[in-house]
Amino acid sequence: LNKMAMRFFMAMTLVASASAFTPSPVFTPAGKAAGLKLRGSAFKPARFAQRSVLGAKMAFDMESLIQESKDDRLTHLEEQAMNSLKVAIENHDNAVFPNAMILGDCVITHLLHRLDYLKDQKCKIMVVDTFHLFDETMPFLSSLEKEYSFKSEVFQAEGCADKAEYDKKYGADLWKMDIEQYDKVCKVEPFQRGLKTLNTDVMINGRRRDHGFERAYIDLYENAPIGGGLAKVNPLAYWTFEDCFDYVAKYKIPIHPLHADGYPSHGDAKDTIKVPEDGSVKFVNYKFEGDKAVWLDYASERKGRFVGLANKDGSAKTECGIHVAGAEKTWDRDLWEEGKSKVKDLSKSDAEGLTKAGKDTLVVTYAPWCQFCQGMEEEFEKFASEMDGKIDIAKFRGDEEREFISSAFEATAFPTITLITKDGKTIKMDANEPEKRTVANFKSFIADNAGVAA
């Protein structure tokens, strides 16, 4: 009797497990009736439903049952992800997939290829090159383009064709000086510009719930907090990191070479490390070496990312800024715009002649992307209006002329406020803190050093 009861319990467990994989109503024929276009059906009859209760008479093979249940889970997740991609792409005109080539992104790239959305650019692949990526990353992108017959759209920091131009314009150490501004310059602004350039109306990305608490409640579909509320689809929302590895192993999907070198994830080389640091865990030839739990535990994929970086409030950095609310608030114009401002725009030749001009000039050396320069724009404009005709107030964009501003204005950071006196002296104002950049302090500075009264 006990044996019969055990067999009955096992059979009922298998039947119950099968019911857990019933497709979501949004993907049923009723979904079509609601107006959603689907490109065929990705669903196949669940193998659980074909299984006879008599199967319980077979010997109890735990490993086989576990593997079978994982296979069925993966089949369900695959169907769900493919249908979400169909919903996204068949119901929008300009689907874009920002691809960072991390593991989940490689899964999505494979799925888009299987659905035949890449070759004809039904979905465009967008890549942001921060100029700080690992040496292997861009060559890996080239190999993916060849493997799946697509051409990606690559975006970088504004006005920079390569790392040398970036260093000259923004400074090689921007990420050390101000990580938030680095994120804006190298990630958020190019990302935003890419979405706008490609006229994106739906964005596909690889965020998952198991990434951590910031993403713990994301769903397959949502509105993006960037790009003016465009539609956003997260086809892997309910996958785990282990699911991703199982899937790439099943289909032998091309993945970034750093996984075989001990990196569970990758981003900028400057702040990404192996996990653990001795490189004892790897994913080589589609198999794990070492203790895979170190990588697969909840919220562990990005343990090696953003290492040593902190937000301005002192909290540990866990996001690059692209996927958070307010990311769209980046610069899209110059500061103290010509024709609207009392602040005079200096050319380099104008700036070179200031020491011989025979008059006092107060110059702000700035970068339009710098939040501190943005923060003082209104106050400096008020000052220029009140001092109109009493002293020249000027601006010089310095992020493209690093060496020059260092010698001409003693500027090593943005903003820097410098008085060039009529006898050719250069005096830098102590205005390192935002609270010092006020109309009253500007007036006091020129009164003390140029004898100009307000």
Side-chain angles (χ1 to χ4, degrees), residues 300-372:
S300 292
E301 177 179 354
R302 299 188 297 162
K303 275 183 179 178
R305 299 282 300 280
F306 312 114
V307 175
L309 303 182
N311 297 309
K312 286 191 178 298
D313 62 4
S315 60
K317 192 168 185 62
T318 59
E319 292 275 6
C320 68
I322 286 176
H323 297 292
V324 298
E328 73 280 7
K329 295 177 181 177
T330 185
W331 75 96
D332 56 5
R333 63 175 180 83
D334 198 7
L335 303 181
W336 301 288
E337 293 177 272
E338 188 173 358
K340 299 179 181 179
S341 173
K342 295 289 186 180
V343 180
K344 179 184 176 182
D345 188 15
L346 293 177
S347 66
K348 186 175 181 180
S349 60
D350 291 335
E352 289 172 332
L354 287 179
T355 56
K356 299 178 182 179
K359 58 180 179 179
D360 296 320
T361 304
L362 189 72
V363 181
V364 57
T365 306
Y366 75 104
W369 45 263
C370 173
Q371 64 175 340
F372 300 112

Side-chain angles (χ1 to χ4, degrees), residues 73-93:
R73 169 182 168 80
L74 211 56
T75 297
H76 168 68
L77 290 172
E78 176 187 60
E79 292 167 346
Q80 185 183 66
M82 292 179 78
N83 270 273
S84 70
L85 290 171
K86 289 179 181 181
V87 168
I89 295 170
E90 297 294 343
N91 292 279
H92 295 84
D93 296 324

Side-chain angles (χ1 to χ4, degrees), residues 51-65:
R51 206 178 284 137
S52 170
V53 173
L54 294 177
K57 293 181 179 179
M58 298 170 58
F60 184 79
D61 185 342
M62 182 180 294
E63 288 188 8
S64 177
L65 287 172

Side-chain angles (χ1 to χ4, degrees), residues 15 28 76 82 100 159 172 182 222 237 248 263 321 326 328-329 340 385 405 425:
V15 172
T28 64
H76 168 68
M82 292 179 78
Y182 168 79
E222 60 181 330
V248 300
Y263 293 86
E328 73 280 7
K329 295 177 181 177
K340 299 179 181 179
S385 296
I405 63 173
K425 294 180 180 178

Side-chain angles (χ1 to χ4, degrees), residues 235-259:
L236 307 186
Y238 310 136
W239 293 47
T240 65
F241 201 25
E242 185 176 16
D243 293 328
C244 294
F245 278 109
D246 289 343
Y247 193 78
V248 300
K250 177 179 179 179
Y251 289 102
K252 300 297 185 287
I253 295 171
I255 59 175
H256 200 290
L258 286 180
H259 294 301

